[in-house]
Amino acid sequence: MGKMTTKLIANNKKAYHDYFIEDKYEAGIELFGTEVKSIRMGKCSIKESFIRIDKGEVYVCGMHINPYEKGNIFNKDPLRTRKLLLHRSEITKLGSRIAEKGYTLVPLQVYFKGSLVKMEIGLAKGKKLYDKRDDIAKKDQKREIDREMKQSLR
């Protein structure tokens, strides 16, 4: 069997700005056929979505998948809650970590792995306002240094 190819569909850059990502997990998503077709066309957004654990099951809420144009009556609600598929041990581990103060689960990206739709989720701790300012300052410094280096090469 050849190497699995991955194709990025949706990315959540805001998660890295708002949270410290401590751990990453790969989860399958329970989808219907028309949703997979729509994702294949890149019509998916996880900007406003969040993840919750309920009765030992993991769900992603607010993930938007545009209705498939040729799907008519088979189309589902674009914002419906979708179940994430993880191993029981992973769910238990995540559940205990979320019980700790300040931890949450955030969707990081949606991608195809071979023919399967996967979601990368991150165990995250919220950043305080000063952490965000610190990150922005570091980014600005790096940009300034890169600009100086580029000019000195000319």
Side-chain angles (χ1 to χ4, degrees):
M1 174 108 179
K3 187 176 151 266
M4 282 277 190
T5 56
T6 57
K7 181 184 170 210
L8 185 67
I9 303 296
N11 205 346
N12 190 358
K13 287 183 182 150
K14 193 168 170 264
Y16 291 96
H17 182 262
D18 293 342
Y19 300 97
F20 293 113
I21 309 298
E22 299 204 353
D23 220 342
K24 293 177 182 176
Y25 295 87
E26 182 179 77
I29 314 172
E30 196 173 74
L31 297 168
F32 289 93
T34 52
E35 291 176 322
V36 176
K37 288 176 183 174
S38 194
I39 289 174
R40 209 172 281 287
M41 295 169 74
K43 308 244 190 275
C44 168
S45 168
I46 53 172
K47 281 193 173 42
E48 303 299 317
S49 58
F50 60 95
I51 296 171
R52 63 184 170 81
I53 297 180
D54 186 31
K55 298 185 183 96
E57 301 284 1
V58 185
Y59 298 96
V60 61
C61 308
M63 175 180 168
H64 188 278
I65 298 177
N66 282 7
Y68 183 58
E69 292 110 36
K70 301 176 184 79
N72 57 42
I73 60 165
F74 300 109
N75 281 333
K76 303 289 180 203
D77 172 20
L79 284 170
R80 76 180 181 85
T81 299
R82 295 170 179 89
K83 187 171 158 183
L84 291 180
L85 311 169
L86 286 153
H87 291 288
R88 175 74 47 220
S89 58
E90 289 177 318
I91 295 172
T92 309
K93 189 170 146 187
L94 288 171
S96 64
R97 291 296 298 270
I98 288 173
E100 290 176 40
K101 191 170 161 35
Y103 279 104
T104 186
L105 284 175
V106 290
L108 300 175
Q109 56 186 352
V110 174
Y111 54 92
F112 272 100
K113 187 172 183 182
S115 62
L116 303 173
V117 180
K118 300 285 187 180
M119 177 181 274
E120 185 178 60
I121 60 177
L123 181 68
K125 205 175 184 86
K127 282 186 183 179
K128 303 277 186 275
L129 186 60
Y130 58 83
D131 290 325
K132 290 182 193 175
R133 284 197 197 117
D134 204 35
D135 279 357
I136 291 167
K138 281 180 186 161
K139 208 183 289 175
D140 287 346
Q141 274 180 329
K142 186 181 178 333
R143 196 177 298 124
E144 197 63 40
I145 290 168
D146 289 347
R147 196 176 296 130
E148 294 290 323
M149 293 292 283
K150 203 173 186 178
Q151 284 178 345
S152 68
L153 291 174
R154 286 185 184 163

